[in-house]
C-alpha cells in the first residue's frame, strides 16, 4: 500500500502484475466507521484507467488459457496457505474499514478460504463428457473452455469474502480476472492482492481497479470483458444486468434482500432466539442473509418476544476492534440516519418500539452506531416489512398459521433467504417446498451456502441463471464446446 501521508493511505490499482497510482483527480475518503477517522482514499478511476487494466488482463489471457488446469491451481494452494497465515491481519483490515467485529471478520476470511479450496478441484469440476460411437465410427464430446477476461464488481459488506466467490473459480478455469471492489472498503483487497503477488501468478491474471459507477460501467462496456459478476443493491444489480445484456455478455447479478424467519410454537424458543438474534444483529444487520422480519405463529408470539428482547438487550455495541464488543457500527453516517429514519417510519405506521437502538449513549458519538432495535406489531404493509433496512432492526409480525406466514414471506419482492424454526419434520418439508426464496434455513439463522453449493438468491435478489460458487461458478466461467469426430480405423493398418 502507498502511504500518501502518515495518517491516510492512498490505495493503488494492481495492473499487469504491478501497483500503479491512478492519475485520476477524484479520490473518495474512507472512514473508520467506529470512530469517523479518515483511514484511506480510494481513486475513482476513469474509463481510460479501467480500459488499460482490462487490456493488461487481455494480454495475459492467451498463455494463461494454455496453462494446464493442474498448473493453474498450484497458486491457489499457496493462496489458501497465505490467507490462513494472514487471517488475523486481514480480519483487522476488515474491522477497520467495515466495522464488523474481529470474530465476524475472521469468519469472513474463513469463508473466502473455502472458495479457494473448492476452486482447487477445477481439474475435476471443469471436465466435460463424451460418448463413443454416437453413430458408427463417430465419437462426440463436450469440453469446457474459458471465456477470456471476466470481471466482478463487489459491495462493502464483505470486503474479504465476496471477491473470493468469483476470483478463484475464474482463474482456475483459465480466465483472467478484473476486480472492482467497493470504493468504500478498498484496504482488505489491496492487502489480499499484495499476498497474491507471492503465489506465482503470471502478470495480468488478476487485476484490481478501484472506483465507483464510472469504473463499473467502463468494465461492463469494455468489449474484452466477456462476463460480469455483480453483488450489491437490487437497484444497481438490475442496472448492471441490463447493461451487460445489452452488450451481449453473460452476467450474474446478486441484489438486495428482505429476509423473513417463521417461528412455530413447537420450536425450541431459547435456541431459536439465540440463532435469530445473531442473524438479525450480527454484522450490525449488514448481511444480505440477515433476518429482518420474524413472523411468529400462534403462542410463539409471546414466548419468542420475551427471549429476543432479553438477547437484544445483552448485545454490546461498540468498536469491532474491542474484544468485548458483540456488534459493531454501520458503514456510514448516511446509513445510520437512513436506518434511524426507517425505525421512525415504522413507529408512524403503527409499530411499537420495544428496544430502541437509535443514538446509543454507551458508544462514541463520532462512530456510526445503531444498537439492536426490536419493533412489535409491525403492520404487514409498513415500510419496515417491505424495505431492505441493512441495519440491526428486527420487526415482529404475527400470523395465525404457517400458510399465513408463507403469504407474508411471499409479499416481499426479494427472495434471498427464508428460515423456519420448528421441531416438526412435516412443517419443515412444507416450508422447504413452498417458501419463495433461493436459500432456505431450517433451524438456521444465516443459511449461507458452503462454497461447493450455489449462493442461490431468487426474484429481486438475483438477476441471471448461474449463481456464484461451486459448480455454478464453473459453468458461468466456461463455455461449452461440442466436438463430433470421425476417424476411420482400418483394422488391417499397422501403426
Ligand atoms: P451498491 O449497490 O451500492 O454497490 C455495489 C457495487 O456497485 C460497488 O462496487 C459500487 O461501486 C458499484 N456501483 C454503485 N452504483 C453503480 C452503478 N450505478 N452502476 C454500476 N456500478 C455501481 O451496494 P453496497 O451498498 O455496497 O452493498 C450493500 C447491498 O449489497 C445490499 O443491498 C445487500 O443486500 C447487497 N448484497 C447482496 C448480496 C447477495 O448475495 N445477494 C451479498 C452482499 C450484499
Amino acid at each position: 500500500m502507498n502511504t500518501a501521508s502518515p495518517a491516510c493511505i492512498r490505495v493503488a490499482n494492481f495492473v499487469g502484475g504491478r501497483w500503479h497510482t491512478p492519475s485520476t483527480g477524484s479520490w473518495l475518503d474512507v472512514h473508520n466507521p467506529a470512530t469517523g477517522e479518515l483511514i484511506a482514499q480510494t481513486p475513482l478511476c476513469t474509463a481510460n484507467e479501467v480500459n488499460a487494466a482490462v487490456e493488461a488482463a487481455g494480454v495475459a489471457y492467451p498463455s494463461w488459457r494454455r496453462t494446464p488446469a493442474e498448473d493453474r491451481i498450484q497458486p491457489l494452494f499457496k493462496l489458501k496457505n497465505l490467507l490462513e497465515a494472514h487471517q488475523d491481519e486481514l480480519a483487522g483490515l476488515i474491522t477497520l474499514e467495515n466495522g464488523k467485529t474481529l470474530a465476524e471478520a475472521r469468519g469472513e476470511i474463513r469463508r473466502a478460504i473455502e472458495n479457494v479450496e473448492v476452486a482447487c478441484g477445477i481439474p475435476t469440476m471443469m471436465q466435460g463428457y463424451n460418448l463413443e460411437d454416437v453413430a458408427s465410427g463417430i465419437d462426440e464430446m463436450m469440453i469446457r473452455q474459458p471465456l477470456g477476461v471476466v470481471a466482478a464488481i463487489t459491495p462493502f459488506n464483505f470486503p474479504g469474502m465476496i471477491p473470493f466467490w468469483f476470483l478463484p473459480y475464474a482463474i482456475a478455469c483459465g480466465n483472467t480476472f478484473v476486480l472492482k471492489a467497493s470504493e468504500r472498503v478498498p484496504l482488505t483487497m489491496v492487502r489480499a492482492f499484495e499476498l497474491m503477488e507471492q503465489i506465482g501468478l503470471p502478470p495480468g491474471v488478476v487485476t484490481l481497479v478501484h472506483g465507483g459507477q464510472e469504473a463499473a460501467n467502463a468494465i461492463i462496456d469494455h468489449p474484452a470483458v466477456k462476463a460480469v459478476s455483480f453483488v450489491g443493491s437490487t437497484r444497481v444489480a438490475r442496472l448492471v444486468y441490463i447493461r451487460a445484456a445489452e452488450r451481449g455478455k453473460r452476467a450474474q447479478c446478486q441484489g438486495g434482500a428482505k429476509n423473513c424467519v417463521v417461528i412455530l410454537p413447537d420450536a425450541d424458543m431459547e435456541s431459536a432466539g439465540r440463532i435469530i438474534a445473531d442473524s438479525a444483529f450480527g454484522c450490525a444487520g449488514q448481511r444480505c442473509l440477515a433476518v429482518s422480519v420474524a413472523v411468529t405463529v400462534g403462542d410463539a408470539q409471546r414466548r419468542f418476544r420475551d427471549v429476543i428482547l432479553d438477547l437484544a438487550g445483552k448485545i454490546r455495541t461498540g468498536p469491532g476492534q474491542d474484544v468485548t464488543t458483540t456488534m459493531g457500527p454501520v458503514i456510514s453516517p448516511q446509513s445510520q440516519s437512513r436506518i434511524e429514519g426507517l425505525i421512525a417510519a415504522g413507529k408512524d405506521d403503527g409499530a411499537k418500539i420495544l428496544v430502541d437502538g437509535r443514538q446509543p449513549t454507551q458508544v462514541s458519538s463520532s462512530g456510526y452506531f445503531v444498537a439492536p432495535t426490536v419493533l412489535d406489531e409491525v403492520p404487514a404493509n409498513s415500510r419496515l416489512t417491505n424495505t431492505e433496512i441493512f441495519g440491526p432492526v428486527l420487526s415482529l409480525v404475527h400470523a395465525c398459521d404457517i400458510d399465513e406466514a408463507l403469504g407474508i414471506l411471499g409479499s416481499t419482492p426479494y427472495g434471498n433467504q427464508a428460515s423456519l424454526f420448528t421441531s416438526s419434520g412435516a412443517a419443515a418439508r412444507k416450508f422447504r417446498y413452498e417458501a419463495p426464496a433461493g436459500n432456505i434455513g431450517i433451524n438456521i439463522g444465516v443459511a449461507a451456502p458452503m462454497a461447493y453449493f450455489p449462493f442461490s438468491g431468487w426474484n429481486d435478489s438475483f438477476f441471471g441463471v448461474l449463481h456464484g460458487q461451486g459448480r455454478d461458478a464453473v459453468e458461468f466461467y466456461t463455455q461449452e464446446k461440442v466436438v463430433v469426430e470421425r476417424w476411420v480405423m482400418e483394422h488391417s493398418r499397422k501403426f
Side-chain angles (χ1 to χ4, degrees):
M1 295 179 200
N2 297 331
T3 306
S5 78
C8 172
I9 295 165
R10 281 197 149 194
V11 298
N13 289 340
F14 187 68
V15 178
R18 295 181 40 222
W19 292 96
H20 297 266
T21 301
S23 56
T24 175
S26 187
W27 294 74
L28 181 80
D29 288 345
V30 178
H31 299 269
N32 177 345
T35 61
E37 176 198 1
L38 180 67
I39 51 171
Q41 288 184 313
T42 310
L44 298 176
C45 289
T46 60
N48 284 344
E49 286 158 328
V50 170
N51 292 346
V54 171
E55 275 142 34
V59 168
Y61 173 65
S63 67
W64 184 243
R65 181 249 153 120
R66 282 176 173 70
T67 304
E70 187 59 33
D71 296 344
R72 293 199 302 258
I73 61 171
Q74 297 312 314
L76 293 179
F77 287 107
K78 292 183 190 149
L79 178 59
K80 167 189 156 62
N81 291 334
L82 272 175
L83 291 175
E84 275 169 350
H86 292 265
Q87 186 169 5
D88 285 349
E89 180 195 0
L90 289 163
L93 285 170
I94 292 171
T95 298
L96 176 71
E97 63 184 356
N98 168 281
K100 64 181 70 174
T101 67
L102 282 171
E104 289 166 341
R106 280 192 205 100
E108 177 178 344
I109 292 299
R110 187 66 247 161
R111 283 281 178 151
I113 293 166
E114 281 166 15
N115 280 282
V116 177
E117 290 168 348
V118 172
C120 288
I122 283 296
T124 307
M125 293 170 79
M126 203 177 153
Q127 287 176 12
Y129 50 87
N130 56 55
L131 183 66
E132 211 171 56
D133 289 325
V134 292
S136 183
I138 296 181
D139 308 325
E140 188 161 335
M141 69 186 83
M142 189 281 281
I143 54 178
R144 293 193 172 280
Q145 295 189 336
L147 305 173
V149 180
V150 298
I153 299 161
T154 55
F156 81 83
N157 65 327
F158 283 95
M161 173 183 74
I162 291 181
F164 285 98
W165 283 353
F166 309 112
L167 182 151
Y169 304 99
I171 64 171
C173 287
N175 305 283
T176 56
F177 179 81
V178 177
L179 173 67
K180 193 207 79 63
S182 168
E183 64 276 30
R184 296 198 265 173
V185 287
L187 297 175
T188 308
M189 272 304 116
V190 167
R191 186 66 191 122
F193 273 69
E194 284 176 352
L195 295 176
M196 280 188 265
E197 286 183 87
Q198 302 170 36
I199 63 177
L201 287 174
V205 172
V206 291
T207 296
L208 176 65
V209 63
H210 297 284
Q213 180 177 342
E214 181 181 351
N217 285 342
I219 286 173
I220 302 163
D221 291 350
H222 198 294
V225 172
K226 301 296 179 202
V228 178
S229 303
F230 172 88
V231 183
S233 58
T234 289
R235 183 187 67 82
V236 181
R238 192 182 268 115
L239 289 173
V240 169
Y241 191 65
I242 292 169
R243 196 173 183 112
E246 277 173 355
R247 285 148 186 78
K249 302 183 181 188
R250 59 176 74 182
Q252 47 179 196
C253 299
Q254 300 183 214
K258 186 75 187 173
N259 304 308
C260 297
V261 58
V262 177
I263 303 123
L264 296 188
D266 65 3
D268 174 340
M269 279 314 150
E270 291 298 324
S271 154
R274 274 196 315 278
I275 295 168
I276 294 167
D278 175 60
S279 176
F281 308 128
C283 297
Q286 297 174 121
R287 281 192 285 226
C288 65
L289 296 178
V291 162
S292 176
V293 176
V295 184
T296 49
V297 172
D299 81 345
Q301 183 179 24
R302 179 188 48 75
R303 293 189 292 135
F304 178 74
R305 185 174 53 207
D306 293 346
V307 173
I308 201 77
L309 288 186
D310 180 47
L311 290 164
K314 286 182 178 153
I315 287 171
R316 232 184 111 90
T317 307
Q321 289 90 343
D322 180 341
V323 287
T324 63
T325 292
T326 47
M327 196 189 85
V330 297
I331 188 70
S332 65
Q334 295 78 11
S335 189
Q336 181 185 7
S337 53
R338 192 182 49 77
I339 296 163
E340 289 171 348
L342 279 163
I343 297 169
K347 188 166 180 242
D348 293 346
D349 290 347
K352 290 185 186 151
I353 304 181
L354 300 182
V355 185
D356 191 343
R358 289 175 289 180
Q359 285 145 17
T361 49
Q362 70 274 29
V363 285
S364 150
S365 58
S366 54
Y368 319 137
F369 292 99
V370 181
T373 298
V374 181
L375 295 102
D376 197 12
E377 297 175 33
V378 179
N381 60 355
S382 164
R383 283 158 282 182
L384 272 187
T385 47
N386 295 314
T387 312
E388 178 176 43
I389 301 174
F390 228 52
V393 180
L394 184 64
S395 299
L396 305 184
V397 177
H398 187 59
C400 295
D401 55 28
I402 191 169
D403 287 308
E404 188 184 344
L406 281 163
I408 294 169
L409 256 68
S411 67
T412 101
Y414 300 101
N416 225 26
Q417 176 190 298
S419 291
L420 177 73
F421 282 75
T422 185
S423 54
S424 157
R429 184 171 192 278
K430 175 182 173 69
F431 190 83
R432 189 186 73 199
Y433 202 87
E434 295 182 18
N439 297 297
I440 299 295
I442 304 293
N443 299 318
I444 297 285
V446 180
M450 297 295 287
Y452 29 84
F453 286 97
F455 197 103
S456 187
W458 280 13
N459 305 331
D460 280 3
S461 295
F462 181 70
F463 303 96
V465 177
L466 294 166
H467 296 269
Q469 299 197 149
R471 282 185 230 161
D472 269 35
V474 177
E475 288 187 36
F476 184 76
Y477 287 128
T478 56
Q479 50 199 338
E480 296 172 347
K481 185 177 269 184
V482 177
V483 184
V484 188
E485 288 187 346
R486 176 189 283 123
W487 293 103
V488 178
M489 285 196 292
E490 295 166 31
H491 294 290
S492 56
R493 190 167 155 206
K494 296 265 184 286
F495 290 97

